[in-house]
Amino acid sequence: KARVAVFVSGRGSNMAALLYASRLPDAAYEVVLVASNDPAAQALALATAEGVPTFALAHRGMARADHDAAMEQAARDAGAEYIALAGYMRILTPSFVAHWAGRMLNIHPSLLPKYPGLDTHARAIAAGDSEGGASVHLVTEDLDMGEVLGRIPVAIRPDETADGLAERVRLAEHQLYPRVLADYVSRPYDAAWLLERVRALALALPETH
Ligand code: GAR
């Protein structure tokens, strides 16, 4: 089974969906760590109740690189092969993102490429869209711009509020994320990705002549 660390900042309903899906027979992944930048995150209590190891470190007063390094260490210590961001509301440093390239997924509450960033529901409603939704994508340096792996639409009602839409999108997210993550970690051997990594490593080696 693929070993997944889930990064959270808040309620953790997506983390719960990922975790319980991993308890189904023949699950493709297991959750080996739930890590947060907020020691008070509700998600941590749920993980603890379910016997999943947790790591929490408040980011306040810390340099971004130092905080990321601590999160990185926790993921490594847990033997994580993948990171699933699930309502993790911190932007990660480019070196962290590079280290996990092709191995880090995020769920975003819009139908990407529409509405990267914040306030996605209010923006979709204000634009008069007939549907909002959620997307799971690979994390790259450009915020919310990595390859989209899966999307799920949610209807926008005539009298929709951002909070009401956010609640329904959350329910839809719980269906989307476990499936996309399971499919992704089960994908056939990725020769192109491996070649890219070998190239990058070779370039990083010191010149020998
Ligand atoms: C989810 O709706 C997720 O799409 C969103 O935060 C919520 C977390 O809910 N993520 C972002 O806005 C990322 N920029 P949860 O803690 O209940 O899973």
Side-chain angles (χ1 to χ4, degrees):
K1 280 189 193 180
R3 298 173 65 84
V4 177
V6 183
F7 282 17
V8 296
S9 295
R11 197 201 295 190
S13 68
N14 278 286
M15 182 278 293
L18 291 173
L19 176 62
Y20 290 125
S22 78
R23 300 256 170 98
L24 289 167
D26 301 324
Y29 65 86
E30 60 184 314
V31 176
V32 296
L33 176 73
V34 173
S36 182
N37 62 312
D38 179 2
Q42 238 179 291
L44 294 170
L46 191 144
T48 300
E50 290 294 346
V52 178
T54 61
F55 174 80
L57 179 64
H59 63 268
R60 201 176 293 264
M62 275 186 92
R64 192 177 291 275
D66 293 342
H67 190 265
D68 278 10
M71 296 291 283
E72 167 85 37
Q73 193 59 49
R76 270 175 201 245
D77 290 348
E81 300 164 291
Y82 294 88
I83 292 178
L85 304 180
Y88 187 64
M89 302 307 278
R90 297 275 300 160
I91 293 174
L92 293 156
T93 48
S95 75
F96 187 100
V97 172
H99 184 96
W100 290 92
R103 297 287 182 275
M104 180 157 57
L105 282 64
N106 179 45
I107 188 152
H108 179 78
S110 79
L111 294 174
L112 291 171
K114 275 191 159 180
Y115 314 125
L118 297 174
D119 297 325
T120 54
H121 307 300
R123 286 154 69 200
I125 293 168
D129 294 358
S130 61
E131 56 185 27
S135 311
V136 174
H137 64 94
L138 289 175
V139 177
T140 58
E141 248 193 74
D142 293 329
L143 188 67
D144 301 329
M145 288 301 181
E147 181 188 342
V148 174
L149 303 174
R151 305 196 298 173
I152 188 165
V154 172
I156 295 182
R157 296 174 179 155
D159 59 349
E160 196 73 74
T161 63
D163 285 350
L165 181 58
E167 257 336 286
R168 296 200 332 283
V169 166
R170 258 207 182 81
L171 295 176
E173 289 180 330
H174 303 163
Q175 301 301 313
L176 178 71
Y177 208 175
R179 182 185 291 200
V180 173
L181 178 61
D183 285 354
Y184 189 72
V185 301
S186 313
R187 73 201 182 288
Y189 182 65
D190 189 348
W193 181 85
L194 202 65
L195 195 64
E196 205 36 60
R197 296 294 290 175
V198 170
R199 279 215 187 97
L201 273 174
L203 285 176
L205 287 175
E207 296 274 354
T208 50
H209 54 273

